[in-house]
Amino acid sequence: DAGVIQSPRHEVTEMGQEVTLRCKPISGHDYLFWYRQTMMRGLELLIYFNNNVPIDDSGMPEDRFSAKMPNASFSTLKIQPSEPRDSAVYFCASSLYNTGKAFFGQGTRLTVV
Amino acid sequence: DAKTTQPPSMDCAEGRAANLPCNHSTISGNEYVYWYRQIHSQGPQYIIHGLKNNETNEMASLIITEDRKSSTLILPHATLRDTAVYYCIVRVPEDTNAGKSTFGDGTTLTVKP
């Protein structure tokens, strides 16, 4: 298995632009998590899905952030409009049965200028 | 989820055992102890987890005290590639709120030649 795949690996965008981050979880996993990591706040859980259904989005910072999981093999995290303070590394992770043993992707480093 | 306390940093000589402590004095009976690590510029990587018995896998050993209030992750023969931030997390598997478990600040382990 190729593991959790995220794209793009790096994204540089201008303030106000829409940004879409993509994630392909490990086949067969039924939980998908989106995290954000910054030096100031560490690794924060933004939202997670179970069987494509959002379970808890309380970590999503603002209405500018939205996440979707249209099917079991694909999820997106969208920021519209983007702001410089959104600059961070965004990780996607997946797991089976939410056992706590999650597999993380390599992350997307987002820079908003 | 119970909170954990870890030393911010540790050094270890290459080839020697690295012993990383974690305090979780408020752990409840059904919470497991999980360890992850994050090598620079990569996503977190699952290492090991356990409830009350000591556990060992190809990566590390986990020693949990009898009262379960603390644990130690042991890397038996540390290499330079083990330099990373190590996170100790306690949570209940299958808990619908388990996705909220946070990673905290972790311990930065530096393996030196």
Side-chain angles (χ1 to χ4, degrees), chain A residues 27-89:
Chain A
S27 177
H29 281 189
D30 56 348
Y31 279 81
L32 183 139
F33 307 86
W34 281 101
Y35 288 86
R36 177 174 68 176
Q37 187 171 38
T38 61
M39 288 293 293
M40 290 296 293
R41 302 175 67 89
L43 197 62
E44 304 173 276
L45 177 66
L46 300 178
I47 185 172
Y48 73 96
F49 295 83
N50 175 218
N51 290 324
N52 314 336
V53 176
I55 301 301
D56 189 334
D57 65 354
S58 60
M60 297 284 262
E62 301 173 30
D63 292 344
R64 298 184 296 106
F65 286 69
S66 63
K68 294 182 179 180
M69 193 165 184
N71 57 61
S73 59
F74 184 65
S75 176
T76 59
L77 179 67
K78 184 178 295 185
I79 308 172
Q80 166 63 17
S82 58
E83 296 182 3
R85 58 189 169 129
D86 301 331
S87 297
V89 181

Side-chain angles (χ1 to χ4, degrees), chain B residues 12 20 22 29 36 39 44 46 50 52 58-59 61 63 67 69 71 76 78 80 85 88-90 94 106 110:
Chain B
C12 178
L20 294 98
C22 179
Y36 281 77
I39 296 171
Y46 165 86
K52 56 183 179 180
E58 67 280 3
M59 291 182 67
S61 295
I63 308 297
D67 63 7
K69 293 185 177 181
S71 60
L80 299 180
V85 178
C88 170
I89 303 162
V90 291
E94 300 295 335
T110 303

Side-chain angles (χ1 to χ4, degrees), chain B residues 25-91:
Chain B
S25 58
T26 60
I27 192 171
S28 60
N30 58 350
E31 287 183 314
Y32 283 63
V33 180
Y34 292 80
W35 283 84
Y36 281 77
R37 73 179 181 184
Q38 186 173 22
I39 296 171
H40 183 61
S41 297
Q42 297 184 21
Q45 176 190 24
Y46 165 86
I47 300 173
I48 198 168
H49 75 281
L51 180 62
K52 56 183 179 180
N53 297 320
N54 299 337
E55 302 287 345
T56 296
N57 63 19
E58 67 280 3
M59 291 182 67
S61 295
L62 174 60
I63 308 297
I64 303 173
T65 58
E66 190 169 348
D67 63 7
R68 303 206 327 117
K69 293 185 177 181
S70 66
S71 60
T72 301
L73 178 75
I74 301 173
L75 308 179
H77 305 286
T79 71
L80 299 180
R81 289 175 295 178
D82 292 322
T83 292
V85 178
Y86 287 77
Y87 298 99
C88 170
I89 303 162
V90 291
R91 57 164 283 180

Side-chain angles (χ1 to χ4, degrees), chain A residues 12-24:
Chain A
V12 180
T13 190
E14 291 185 347
M15 181 174 62
Q17 297 297 307
E18 177 180 295
V19 176
T20 299
L21 311 181
R22 297 171 175 79
C23 175
K24 176 180 169 55

